Amino acid sequence: GAGVSQSPSNKVTEKGKDVELRCDPISGHTALYWYRQRLGQGLEFLIYFQGNSAPDKSGLPSDRFSAERTGESVSTLTIQRTQQEDSAVYLCASSTGQEHTEAFFGQGTRLTVV
Amino acid sequence: AQTVTQSQPEMSVQEAETVTLSCTYDTSENNYYLFWYKQPPSRQMILVIRQEAYKQQNATENRFSVNFQKAAKSFSLKISDSQLGDTAMYFCAFMKHWRGGADGLTFGKGTHLIIQP
């Protein structure tokens, strides 16, 4: 596609349920980031994928959070046993990882845990 | 690890005025990239302007320009002739040259810019 696509756009879930968020990066982009943005706050790094290398998971806040990416395609961020503090916008970005390192963002998924 | 600091949580100016948003960063890298992103209420992060650290000339994109001071590790954004549509959160970001990870693309906490009619 032309840009980074994230789905769903909005998700409301009950506390304790699992959720799965999807990111379709720009075709050919080897680098992919997930960020969390709480209301009125900046972007918190969660996880980074670069090609077939082992992902950098150092930003994942707990073991309830996990993410997968198959090759250089779609990535899914899974949050298990959601808590109210997980409510946030989850943003995905991709870049070529090469000289032109501009990161392109999706519109995010707004997750609300009730 | 890199850090990016935006010291102005919120700024408000009148339409048509010029406004400058400040950003400082800390890094031991010599080659890197700096960005300003705009995030309107739609949540879409939009790249406003970018600067390569090896270029001494300040980047300019229409009404947007930067003042890049590499030695001082400062990267401010100037918006001239501000417009109502410029109202948004503005994030300063740092990226290492081609390497990523936790400190590869680092953001400041943002400045909420309000343009008053």
Side-chain angles (χ1 to χ4, degrees):
Chain A
V4 178
S5 177
Q6 290 188 247
S7 61
S9 179
N10 292 283
K11 175 74 176 178
V12 179
T13 189
E14 292 181 352
K15 179 181 173 181
K17 300 282 190 183
D18 297 352
V19 295
E20 196 171 273
L21 313 180
R22 178 186 171 105
C23 173
D24 279 276
I26 293 172
S27 179
H29 279 193
T30 61
L32 187 148
Y33 292 83
W34 281 98
Y35 285 87
R36 177 171 70 179
Q37 186 179 26
R38 289 190 165 121
L39 184 64
Q41 302 296 312
L43 278 69
E44 298 174 72
F45 168 80
L46 295 177
I47 190 168
Y48 166 75
F49 295 90
Q50 171 61 56
N52 293 316
S53 301
D56 181 342
K57 303 180 179 181
S58 60
L60 294 178
S62 77
D63 59 7
R64 296 187 295 105
F65 287 71
S66 62
E68 301 291 332
R69 188 185 187 196
T70 305
E72 297 178 0
S73 61
V74 171
S75 175
T76 55
L77 176 69
T78 301
I79 308 173
Q80 295 178 309
R81 305 180 302 281
T82 51
Q83 304 294 315
Q84 288 186 328
E85 65 260 26
D86 299 333
S87 295
V89 173
Y90 290 83
L91 290 162
C92 174
S94 72
S95 75
T96 64
Q98 302 297 320
E99 179 178 353
H100 298 288
T101 55
E102 174 184 337
F104 295 84
F105 282 80
Q107 288 191 300
T109 294
R110 182 180 298 281
L111 175 66
T112 303
V113 182
V114 297
Chain B
Q2 281 64 233
T3 59
V4 177
T5 302
Q6 293 179 250
S7 59
Q8 305 150 313
E10 185 170 291
M11 295 187 71
S12 179
V13 299
Q14 296 293 123
E15 192 176 6
E17 290 184 347
T18 294
V19 60
T20 299
L21 309 183
S22 66
C23 173
T24 58
Y25 59 94
D26 188 24
T27 184
S28 58
E29 300 288 327
N30 190 46
N31 288 329
Y32 50 87
Y33 296 80
L34 294 162
F35 308 92
W36 278 99
Y37 282 91
K38 171 184 177 181
Q39 187 182 42
S42 66
R43 304 198 309 248
Q44 179 79 54
M45 292 280 280
I46 303 163
L47 180 68
V48 174
I49 200 165
R50 59 179 275 170
Q51 174 83 40
E52 291 89 345
Y54 62 85
K55 289 186 178 179
Q56 293 186 343
Q57 185 173 5
N58 288 324
T60 299
E61 289 287 342
N62 300 314
R63 298 183 295 108
F64 300 86
S65 62
V66 299
N67 182 3
F68 173 49
Q69 301 291 328
K70 191 173 183 180
K73 297 190 173 112
S74 170
F75 183 61
S76 61
L77 173 70
K78 185 171 83 171
I79 306 174
S80 303
D81 186 26
S82 57
Q83 301 175 359
L84 296 179
D86 295 333
T87 294
M89 284 291 292
Y90 286 81
F91 292 95
C92 178
F94 171 103
M95 179 178 257
K96 285 182 182 178
H97 178 62
W98 67 260
R99 283 187 291 169
D103 57 352
L105 179 56
T106 306
F107 287 84
K109 292 188 181 298
T111 296
H112 184 205
L113 176 64
I114 300 168
I115 309 299
Q116 305 276 7

